Amino acid sequence: MIGIEQNSGELSTDSLIGRVKDFLPYFLKRTRLQKVLDGNSISNIQRAADILAEGKVIIMNMGGVQGFVVDGSNRKAIERVGELKERNIYENPLVIGASTAVRNELVDFEKMPDSMKIHDPRSYDIPHFFIFPIKEGAIPEGVGMKDLIWGRTAPIYWNNNDLSLMALEYALKQRNESGFIAGSSANRHGEDPLRTAEEALNQFGRGSNSVSLILADYYLENSMEGGVSHIIFGLDKEGRLIPTRPGQIEAESYRQVYPNLYIPSTWKDHPKSRRVNLEEFKSKRFPLKSKND
């Protein structure tokens, strides 16, 4: 056994503890190297897709915060996220991360009122959530929710500037044609979302209650202050397209992609939100830091 000296065939408790302390930094570093990989590497994304296809959970940066990510077609993986978050996943379901192609597979466009008809790929040049009606049977329980008016719905997130997310979805579809990206913020229920891969490793990277892999994006981690919350859009009872939860981009900015957007007089933007020009936003990968930058 490396590093253990024998003394009449026995090893004292003090000596053993000393050896463990000597090797602890090595084992922790090795664990980190095995669990945390560069999320901008194609080979690492391929490895992550293998893991998702096996019904396991990874963590990756989802537009500013760390998120649990699974193959949303796999019920076992969905329930595993509930275990990690320590919450009822059916009462607090996962959201979907879907490109235009996958949205076309999942969204029930026949149910969409006129206010939602203008919805093209350019919409996701500015990241946000959009609550869509979903085709019957297209997603399992634990993803999305039931709406009394619109039936099965789900918030869908995408970011046309997030090449890692695009590559991961493509790689997953190669392994499971009916698979899609689904997830939730990486945190225990009631706690703040984690911002960095290091925080994710410390909380969910070791022991039995751990994820299989963490894809790190240090560019995003270093480009933000305090994480980023994204605005959510949905429909009111009249079928009008409205903002339902504020984020760090002002609702008014989205008129560039949603001309039919209705902003109620009672609406209040996030205290740290800022007005964004779409063309300027597209020229940078992720320009949001804080309102006063």
PDB file of all heavy atoms in Angstrom, residues 200-233:
ATOM      1  N   ALA A 200     -20.927  24.122  -6.932  1.00  0.00           N
ATOM      2  CA  ALA A 200     -21.654  22.908  -7.302  1.00  0.00           C
ATOM      3  C   ALA A 200     -20.890  21.665  -6.880  1.00  0.00           C
ATOM      4  O   ALA A 200     -21.476  20.690  -6.391  1.00  0.00           O
ATOM      5  CB  ALA A 200     -21.905  22.890  -8.813  1.00  0.00           C
ATOM      6  N   LEU A 201     -19.570  21.685  -7.061  1.00  0.00           N
ATOM      7  CA  LEU A 201     -18.742  20.550  -6.656  1.00  0.00           C
ATOM      8  C   LEU A 201     -18.811  20.336  -5.157  1.00  0.00           C
ATOM      9  O   LEU A 201     -18.958  19.202  -4.682  1.00  0.00           O
ATOM     10  CB  LEU A 201     -17.292  20.777  -7.086  1.00  0.00           C
ATOM     11  CG  LEU A 201     -16.298  19.700  -6.643  1.00  0.00           C
ATOM     12  CD1 LEU A 201     -16.577  18.387  -7.362  1.00  0.00           C
ATOM     13  CD2 LEU A 201     -14.865  20.160  -6.912  1.00  0.00           C
ATOM     14  N   ASN A 202     -18.721  21.405  -4.398  1.00  0.00           N
ATOM     15  CA  ASN A 202     -18.731  21.292  -2.938  1.00  0.00           C
ATOM     16  C   ASN A 202     -20.059  20.744  -2.423  1.00  0.00           C
ATOM     17  O   ASN A 202     -20.085  20.004  -1.433  1.00  0.00           O
ATOM     18  CB  ASN A 202     -18.457  22.664  -2.311  1.00  0.00           C
ATOM     19  CG  ASN A 202     -17.035  23.128  -2.538  1.00  0.00           C
ATOM     20  OD1 ASN A 202     -16.136  22.318  -2.777  1.00  0.00           O
ATOM     21  ND2 ASN A 202     -16.820  24.429  -2.497  1.00  0.00           N
ATOM     22  N   GLN A 203     -21.151  21.087  -3.088  1.00  0.00           N
ATOM     23  CA  GLN A 203     -22.452  20.670  -2.577  1.00  0.00           C
ATOM     24  C   GLN A 203     -22.980  19.388  -3.207  1.00  0.00           C
ATOM     25  O   GLN A 203     -23.644  18.593  -2.536  1.00  0.00           O
ATOM     26  CB  GLN A 203     -23.474  21.794  -2.779  1.00  0.00           C
ATOM     27  CG  GLN A 203     -24.752  21.580  -1.995  1.00  0.00           C
ATOM     28  CD  GLN A 203     -25.495  22.877  -1.751  1.00  0.00           C
ATOM     29  OE1 GLN A 203     -26.714  22.922  -1.894  1.00  0.00           O
ATOM     30  NE2 GLN A 203     -24.790  23.926  -1.387  1.00  0.00           N
ATOM     31  N   PHE A 204     -22.665  19.179  -4.488  1.00  0.00           N
ATOM     32  CA  PHE A 204     -23.253  18.032  -5.185  1.00  0.00           C
ATOM     33  C   PHE A 204     -22.230  17.194  -5.945  1.00  0.00           C
ATOM     34  O   PHE A 204     -22.604  16.430  -6.832  1.00  0.00           O
ATOM     35  CB  PHE A 204     -24.323  18.512  -6.170  1.00  0.00           C
ATOM     36  CG  PHE A 204     -25.490  19.189  -5.536  1.00  0.00           C
ATOM     37  CD1 PHE A 204     -25.652  20.564  -5.653  1.00  0.00           C
ATOM     38  CD2 PHE A 204     -26.424  18.475  -4.807  1.00  0.00           C
ATOM     39  CE1 PHE A 204     -26.731  21.212  -5.064  1.00  0.00           C
ATOM     40  CE2 PHE A 204     -27.510  19.100  -4.216  1.00  0.00           C
ATOM     41  CZ  PHE A 204     -27.671  20.472  -4.339  1.00  0.00           C
ATOM     42  N   GLY A 205     -20.961  17.314  -5.587  1.00  0.00           N
ATOM     43  CA  GLY A 205     -19.934  16.617  -6.353  1.00  0.00           C
ATOM     44  C   GLY A 205     -19.333  15.405  -5.688  1.00  0.00           C
ATOM     45  O   GLY A 205     -18.569  14.669  -6.320  1.00  0.00           O
ATOM     46  N   ARG A 206     -19.656  15.168  -4.436  1.00  0.00           N
ATOM     47  CA  ARG A 206     -19.010  14.071  -3.715  1.00  0.00           C
ATOM     48  C   ARG A 206     -20.042  13.288  -2.901  1.00  0.00           C
ATOM     49  O   ARG A 206     -21.074  13.801  -2.509  1.00  0.00           O
ATOM     50  CB  ARG A 206     -17.917  14.604  -2.783  1.00  0.00           C
ATOM     51  CG  ARG A 206     -16.865  15.441  -3.494  1.00  0.00           C
ATOM     52  CD  ARG A 206     -15.764  15.857  -2.538  1.00  0.00           C
ATOM     53  NE  ARG A 206     -14.759  16.680  -3.207  1.00  0.00           N
ATOM     54  CZ  ARG A 206     -14.760  18.007  -3.214  1.00  0.00           C
ATOM     55  NH1 ARG A 206     -15.707  18.663  -2.569  1.00  0.00           N
ATOM     56  NH2 ARG A 206     -13.820  18.682  -3.847  1.00  0.00           N
ATOM     57  N   GLY A 207     -19.715  12.043  -2.639  1.00  0.00           N
ATOM     58  CA  GLY A 207     -20.577  11.207  -1.808  1.00  0.00           C
ATOM     59  C   GLY A 207     -21.719  10.596  -2.587  1.00  0.00           C
ATOM     60  O   GLY A 207     -21.824  10.714  -3.807  1.00  0.00           O
ATOM     61  N   SER A 208     -22.610   9.938  -1.852  1.00  0.00           N
ATOM     62  CA  SER A 208     -23.719   9.218  -2.486  1.00  0.00           C
ATOM     63  C   SER A 208     -24.742  10.173  -3.091  1.00  0.00           C
ATOM     64  O   SER A 208     -25.402   9.838  -4.075  1.00  0.00           O
ATOM     65  CB  SER A 208     -24.401   8.314  -1.458  1.00  0.00           C
ATOM     66  OG  SER A 208     -24.872   9.076  -0.351  1.00  0.00           O
ATOM     67  N   ASN A 209     -24.890  11.369  -2.510  1.00  0.00           N
ATOM     68  CA  ASN A 209     -25.875  12.334  -2.995  1.00  0.00           C
ATOM     69  C   ASN A 209     -25.199  13.313  -3.955  1.00  0.00           C
ATOM     70  O   ASN A 209     -25.120  14.506  -3.720  1.00  0.00           O
ATOM     71  CB  ASN A 209     -26.508  13.086  -1.821  1.00  0.00           C
ATOM     72  CG  ASN A 209     -27.767  13.827  -2.246  1.00  0.00           C
ATOM     73  OD1 ASN A 209     -28.497  13.369  -3.112  1.00  0.00           O
ATOM     74  ND2 ASN A 209     -28.008  14.964  -1.634  1.00  0.00           N
ATOM     75  N   SER A 210     -24.655  12.777  -5.054  1.00  0.00           N
ATOM     76  CA  SER A 210     -23.886  13.608  -5.971  1.00  0.00           C
ATOM     77  C   SER A 210     -24.340  13.412  -7.410  1.00  0.00           C
ATOM     78  O   SER A 210     -24.997  12.421  -7.750  1.00  0.00           O
ATOM     79  CB  SER A 210     -22.394  13.277  -5.861  1.00  0.00           C
ATOM     80  OG  SER A 210     -22.138  11.948  -6.280  1.00  0.00           O
ATOM     81  N   VAL A 211     -23.971  14.379  -8.256  1.00  0.00           N
ATOM     82  CA  VAL A 211     -24.251  14.274  -9.688  1.00  0.00           C
ATOM     83  C   VAL A 211     -23.095  13.550 -10.360  1.00  0.00           C
ATOM     84  O   VAL A 211     -22.034  13.352  -9.772  1.00  0.00           O
ATOM     85  CB  VAL A 211     -24.439  15.672 -10.312  1.00  0.00           C
ATOM     86  CG1 VAL A 211     -25.635  16.373  -9.691  1.00  0.00           C
ATOM     87  CG2 VAL A 211     -23.178  16.518 -10.176  1.00  0.00           C
ATOM     88  N   SER A 212     -23.293  13.171 -11.615  1.00  0.00           N
ATOM     89  CA  SER A 212     -22.275  12.396 -12.325  1.00  0.00           C
ATOM     90  C   SER A 212     -21.198  13.258 -12.941  1.00  0.00           C
ATOM     91  O   SER A 212     -20.059  12.806 -13.131  1.00  0.00           O
ATOM     92  CB  SER A 212     -22.942  11.548 -13.418  1.00  0.00           C
ATOM     93  OG  SER A 212     -23.847  10.631 -12.852  1.00  0.00           O
ATOM     94  N   LEU A 213     -21.526  14.527 -13.267  1.00  0.00           N
ATOM     95  CA  LEU A 213     -20.574  15.386 -13.960  1.00  0.00           C
ATOM     96  C   LEU A 213     -20.987  16.842 -13.803  1.00  0.00           C
ATOM     97  O   LEU A 213     -22.178  17.152 -13.713  1.00  0.00           O
ATOM     98  CB  LEU A 213     -20.542  15.027 -15.453  1.00  0.00           C
ATOM     99  CG  LEU A 213     -19.560  15.798 -16.345  1.00  0.00           C
ATOM    100  CD1 LEU A 213     -18.124  15.447 -15.996  1.00  0.00           C
ATOM    101  CD2 LEU A 213     -19.837  15.500 -17.825  1.00  0.00           C
ATOM    102  N   ILE A 214     -19.984  17.727 -13.776  1.00  0.00           N
ATOM    103  CA  ILE A 214     -20.222  19.168 -13.753  1.00  0.00           C
ATOM    104  C   ILE A 214     -19.482  19.780 -14.934  1.00  0.00           C
ATOM    105  O   ILE A 214     -18.263  19.639 -15.055  1.00  0.00           O
ATOM    106  CB  ILE A 214     -19.724  19.808 -12.437  1.00  0.00           C
ATOM    107  CG1 ILE A 214     -20.477  19.219 -11.246  1.00  0.00           C
ATOM    108  CG2 ILE A 214     -19.898  21.321 -12.482  1.00  0.00           C
ATOM    109  CD1 ILE A 214     -19.884  19.590  -9.897  1.00  0.00           C
ATOM    110  N   LEU A 215     -20.238  20.428 -15.824  1.00  0.00           N
ATOM    111  CA  LEU A 215     -19.633  21.139 -16.952  1.00  0.00           C
ATOM    112  C   LEU A 215     -19.466  22.602 -16.544  1.00  0.00           C
ATOM    113  O   LEU A 215     -20.442  23.299 -16.278  1.00  0.00           O
ATOM    114  CB  LEU A 215     -20.520  21.043 -18.193  1.00  0.00           C
ATOM    115  CG  LEU A 215     -20.612  19.682 -18.874  1.00  0.00           C
ATOM    116  CD1 LEU A 215     -21.537  19.775 -20.090  1.00  0.00           C
ATOM    117  CD2 LEU A 215     -19.236  19.181 -19.311  1.00  0.00           C
ATOM    118  N   ALA A 216     -18.227  23.046 -16.478  1.00  0.00           N
ATOM    119  CA  ALA A 216     -17.933  24.400 -16.017  1.00  0.00           C
ATOM    120  C   ALA A 216     -17.833  25.373 -17.183  1.00  0.00           C
ATOM    121  O   ALA A 216     -17.323  25.032 -18.249  1.00  0.00           O
ATOM    122  CB  ALA A 216     -16.630  24.409 -15.223  1.00  0.00           C
ATOM    123  N   ASP A 217     -18.337  26.577 -16.981  1.00  0.00           N
ATOM    124  CA  ASP A 217     -18.172  27.663 -17.947  1.00  0.00           C
ATOM    125  C   ASP A 217     -17.641  28.869 -17.179  1.00  0.00           C
ATOM    126  O   ASP A 217     -18.400  29.674 -16.652  1.00  0.00           O
ATOM    127  CB  ASP A 217     -19.497  27.992 -18.635  1.00  0.00           C
ATOM    128  CG  ASP A 217     -19.314  28.927 -19.825  1.00  0.00           C
ATOM    129  OD1 ASP A 217     -18.418  29.789 -19.763  1.00  0.00           O
ATOM    130  OD2 ASP A 217     -20.045  28.789 -20.816  1.00  0.00           O
ATOM    131  N   TYR A 218     -16.316  28.981 -17.108  1.00  0.00           N
ATOM    132  CA  TYR A 218     -15.701  30.015 -16.295  1.00  0.00           C
ATOM    133  C   TYR A 218     -15.876  31.397 -16.898  1.00  0.00           C
ATOM    134  O   TYR A 218     -15.836  32.399 -16.184  1.00  0.00           O
ATOM    135  CB  TYR A 218     -14.222  29.690 -16.080  1.00  0.00           C
ATOM    136  CG  TYR A 218     -14.024  28.372 -15.359  1.00  0.00           C
ATOM    137  CD1 TYR A 218     -13.462  27.276 -16.001  1.00  0.00           C
ATOM    138  CD2 TYR A 218     -14.455  28.217 -14.043  1.00  0.00           C
ATOM    139  CE1 TYR A 218     -13.306  26.068 -15.344  1.00  0.00           C
ATOM    140  CE2 TYR A 218     -14.299  27.003 -13.369  1.00  0.00           C
ATOM    141  CZ  TYR A 218     -13.724  25.935 -14.034  1.00  0.00           C
ATOM    142  OH  TYR A 218     -13.579  24.734 -13.392  1.00  0.00           O
ATOM    143  N   TYR A 219     -16.101  31.457 -18.215  1.00  0.00           N
ATOM    144  CA  TYR A 219     -16.358  32.761 -18.840  1.00  0.00           C
ATOM    145  C   TYR A 219     -17.623  33.378 -18.265  1.00  0.00           C
ATOM    146  O   TYR A 219     -17.637  34.540 -17.853  1.00  0.00           O
ATOM    147  CB  TYR A 219     -16.498  32.595 -20.358  1.00  0.00           C
ATOM    148  CG  TYR A 219     -16.818  33.894 -21.060  1.00  0.00           C
ATOM    149  CD1 TYR A 219     -15.809  34.744 -21.506  1.00  0.00           C
ATOM    150  CD2 TYR A 219     -18.145  34.281 -21.260  1.00  0.00           C
ATOM    151  CE1 TYR A 219     -16.114  35.944 -22.136  1.00  0.00           C
ATOM    152  CE2 TYR A 219     -18.453  35.485 -21.887  1.00  0.00           C
ATOM    153  CZ  TYR A 219     -17.441  36.306 -22.321  1.00  0.00           C
ATOM    154  OH  TYR A 219     -17.744  37.491 -22.928  1.00  0.00           O
ATOM    155  N   LEU A 220     -18.691  32.592 -18.235  1.00  0.00           N
ATOM    156  CA  LEU A 220     -19.940  33.112 -17.684  1.00  0.00           C
ATOM    157  C   LEU A 220     -19.807  33.417 -16.201  1.00  0.00           C
ATOM    158  O   LEU A 220     -20.324  34.420 -15.713  1.00  0.00           O
ATOM    159  CB  LEU A 220     -21.075  32.115 -17.911  1.00  0.00           C
ATOM    160  CG  LEU A 220     -21.630  32.011 -19.333  1.00  0.00           C
ATOM    161  CD1 LEU A 220     -22.788  31.033 -19.373  1.00  0.00           C
ATOM    162  CD2 LEU A 220     -22.061  33.358 -19.856  1.00  0.00           C
ATOM    163  N   GLU A 221     -19.128  32.546 -15.472  1.00  0.00           N
ATOM    164  CA  GLU A 221     -18.958  32.765 -14.033  1.00  0.00           C
ATOM    165  C   GLU A 221     -18.253  34.091 -13.761  1.00  0.00           C
ATOM    166  O   GLU A 221     -18.594  34.793 -12.810  1.00  0.00           O
ATOM    167  CB  GLU A 221     -18.147  31.622 -13.417  1.00  0.00           C
ATOM    168  CG  GLU A 221     -18.903  30.311 -13.344  1.00  0.00           C
ATOM    169  CD  GLU A 221     -18.096  29.229 -12.663  1.00  0.00           C
ATOM    170  OE1 GLU A 221     -17.075  29.566 -12.013  1.00  0.00           O
ATOM    171  OE2 GLU A 221     -18.458  28.051 -12.787  1.00  0.00           O
ATOM    172  N   ASN A 222     -17.282  34.434 -14.592  1.00  0.00           N
ATOM    173  CA  ASN A 222     -16.500  35.645 -14.374  1.00  0.00           C
ATOM    174  C   ASN A 222     -17.123  36.885 -14.991  1.00  0.00           C
ATOM    175  O   ASN A 222     -16.616  37.989 -14.808  1.00  0.00           O
ATOM    176  CB  ASN A 222     -15.085  35.457 -14.941  1.00  0.00           C
ATOM    177  CG  ASN A 222     -14.306  34.399 -14.189  1.00  0.00           C
ATOM    178  OD1 ASN A 222     -14.482  34.226 -12.989  1.00  0.00           O
ATOM    179  ND2 ASN A 222     -13.453  33.673 -14.896  1.00  0.00           N
ATOM    180  N   SER A 223     -18.202  36.693 -15.747  1.00  0.00           N
ATOM    181  CA  SER A 223     -18.817  37.811 -16.457  1.00  0.00           C
ATOM    182  C   SER A 223     -20.021  38.386 -15.735  1.00  0.00           C
ATOM    183  O   SER A 223     -20.623  39.342 -16.200  1.00  0.00           O
ATOM    184  CB  SER A 223     -19.246  37.369 -17.867  1.00  0.00           C
ATOM    185  OG  SER A 223     -18.129  36.993 -18.622  1.00  0.00           O
ATOM    186  N   MET A 224     -20.402  37.787 -14.608  1.00  0.00           N
ATOM    187  CA  MET A 224     -21.628  38.199 -13.949  1.00  0.00           C
ATOM    188  C   MET A 224     -21.390  38.560 -12.497  1.00  0.00           C
ATOM    189  O   MET A 224     -20.424  38.147 -11.886  1.00  0.00           O
ATOM    190  CB  MET A 224     -22.654  37.076 -14.029  1.00  0.00           C
ATOM    191  CG  MET A 224     -23.061  36.743 -15.436  1.00  0.00           C
ATOM    192  SD  MET A 224     -23.997  35.229 -15.446  1.00  0.00           S
ATOM    193  CE  MET A 224     -22.859  34.117 -14.665  1.00  0.00           C
ATOM    194  N   GLU A 225     -22.316  39.334 -11.985  1.00  0.00           N
ATOM    195  CA  GLU A 225     -22.312  39.686 -10.574  1.00  0.00           C
ATOM    196  C   GLU A 225     -23.636  39.227  -9.968  1.00  0.00           C
ATOM    197  O   GLU A 225     -24.697  39.691 -10.365  1.00  0.00           O
ATOM    198  CB  GLU A 225     -22.165  41.195 -10.388  1.00  0.00           C
ATOM    199  CG  GLU A 225     -20.823  41.727 -10.875  1.00  0.00           C
ATOM    200  CD  GLU A 225     -20.726  43.233 -10.732  1.00  0.00           C
ATOM    201  OE1 GLU A 225     -21.712  43.833 -10.264  1.00  0.00           O
ATOM    202  OE2 GLU A 225     -19.679  43.789 -11.085  1.00  0.00           O
ATOM    203  N   GLY A 226     -23.576  38.296  -9.062  1.00  0.00           N
ATOM    204  CA  GLY A 226     -24.768  37.869  -8.344  1.00  0.00           C
ATOM    205  C   GLY A 226     -25.699  36.955  -9.105  1.00  0.00           C
ATOM    206  O   GLY A 226     -26.814  36.703  -8.688  1.00  0.00           O
ATOM    207  N   GLY A 227     -25.253  36.427 -10.234  1.00  0.00           N
ATOM    208  CA  GLY A 227     -26.114  35.534 -10.995  1.00  0.00           C
ATOM    209  C   GLY A 227     -27.126  36.294 -11.826  1.00  0.00           C
ATOM    210  O   GLY A 227     -27.267  37.506 -11.741  1.00  0.00           O
ATOM    211  N   VAL A 228     -27.850  35.588 -12.641  1.00  0.00           N
ATOM    212  CA  VAL A 228     -28.807  36.206 -13.551  1.00  0.00           C
ATOM    213  C   VAL A 228     -30.145  35.486 -13.444  1.00  0.00           C
ATOM    214  O   VAL A 228     -30.202  34.269 -13.500  1.00  0.00           O
ATOM    215  CB  VAL A 228     -28.303  36.150 -15.011  1.00  0.00           C
ATOM    216  CG1 VAL A 228     -29.392  36.606 -15.966  1.00  0.00           C
ATOM    217  CG2 VAL A 228     -27.067  37.025 -15.171  1.00  0.00           C
ATOM    218  N   SER A 229     -31.210  36.244 -13.285  1.00  0.00           N
ATOM    219  CA  SER A 229     -32.556  35.665 -13.341  1.00  0.00           C
ATOM    220  C   SER A 229     -33.164  36.068 -14.677  1.00  0.00           C
ATOM    221  O   SER A 229     -32.963  37.188 -15.158  1.00  0.00           O
ATOM    222  CB  SER A 229     -33.422  36.184 -12.191  1.00  0.00           C
ATOM    223  OG  SER A 229     -33.567  37.591 -12.259  1.00  0.00           O
ATOM    224  N   HIS A 230     -33.911  35.154 -15.290  1.00  0.00           N
ATOM    225  CA  HIS A 230     -34.479  35.418 -16.606  1.00  0.00           C
ATOM    226  C   HIS A 230     -35.978  35.641 -16.512  1.00  0.00           C
ATOM    227  O   HIS A 230     -36.683  34.965 -15.764  1.00  0.00           O
ATOM    228  CB  HIS A 230     -34.171  34.262 -17.556  1.00  0.00           C
ATOM    229  CG  HIS A 230     -32.717  34.122 -17.862  1.00  0.00           C
ATOM    230  ND1 HIS A 230     -32.008  35.109 -18.496  1.00  0.00           N
ATOM    231  CD2 HIS A 230     -31.837  33.131 -17.598  1.00  0.00           C
ATOM    232  CE1 HIS A 230     -30.749  34.729 -18.626  1.00  0.00           C
ATOM    233  NE2 HIS A 230     -30.616  33.537 -18.077  1.00  0.00           N
ATOM    234  N   ILE A 231     -36.446  36.575 -17.294  1.00  0.00           N
ATOM    235  CA  ILE A 231     -37.866  36.898 -17.324  1.00  0.00           C
ATOM    236  C   ILE A 231     -38.654  35.717 -17.897  1.00  0.00           C
ATOM    237  O   ILE A 231     -38.147  34.941 -18.702  1.00  0.00           O
ATOM    238  CB  ILE A 231     -38.090  38.178 -18.171  1.00  0.00           C
ATOM    239  CG1 ILE A 231     -39.489  38.747 -17.942  1.00  0.00           C
ATOM    240  CG2 ILE A 231     -37.827  37.914 -19.648  1.00  0.00           C
ATOM    241  CD1 ILE A 231     -39.665  40.147 -18.524  1.00  0.00           C
ATOM    242  N   ILE A 232     -39.901  35.578 -17.429  1.00  0.00           N
ATOM    243  CA  ILE A 232     -40.802  34.536 -17.939  1.00  0.00           C
ATOM    244  C   ILE A 232     -42.002  35.208 -18.597  1.00  0.00           C
ATOM    245  O   ILE A 232     -42.580  36.149 -18.049  1.00  0.00           O
ATOM    246  CB  ILE A 232     -41.290  33.609 -16.810  1.00  0.00           C
ATOM    247  CG1 ILE A 232     -40.116  32.860 -16.186  1.00  0.00           C
ATOM    248  CG2 ILE A 232     -42.315  32.606 -17.344  1.00  0.00           C
ATOM    249  CD1 ILE A 232     -40.517  31.948 -15.033  1.00  0.00           C
ATOM    250  N   PHE A 233     -42.358  34.724 -19.789  1.00  0.00           N
ATOM    251  CA  PHE A 233     -43.547  35.204 -20.480  1.00  0.00           C
ATOM    252  C   PHE A 233     -44.582  34.090 -20.548  1.00  0.00           C
ATOM    253  O   PHE A 233     -44.246  32.908 -20.682  1.00  0.00           O
ATOM    254  CB  PHE A 233     -43.212  35.656 -21.905  1.00  0.00           C
ATOM    255  CG  PHE A 233     -42.341  36.872 -21.951  1.00  0.00           C
ATOM    256  CD1 PHE A 233     -40.981  36.768 -22.222  1.00  0.00           C
ATOM    257  CD2 PHE A 233     -42.858  38.129 -21.717  1.00  0.00           C
ATOM    258  CE1 PHE A 233     -40.171  37.882 -22.262  1.00  0.00           C
ATOM    259  CE2 PHE A 233     -42.052  39.258 -21.751  1.00  0.00           C
ATOM    260  CZ  PHE A 233     -40.709  39.136 -22.024  1.00  0.00           C
TER     261      PHE A 233
END
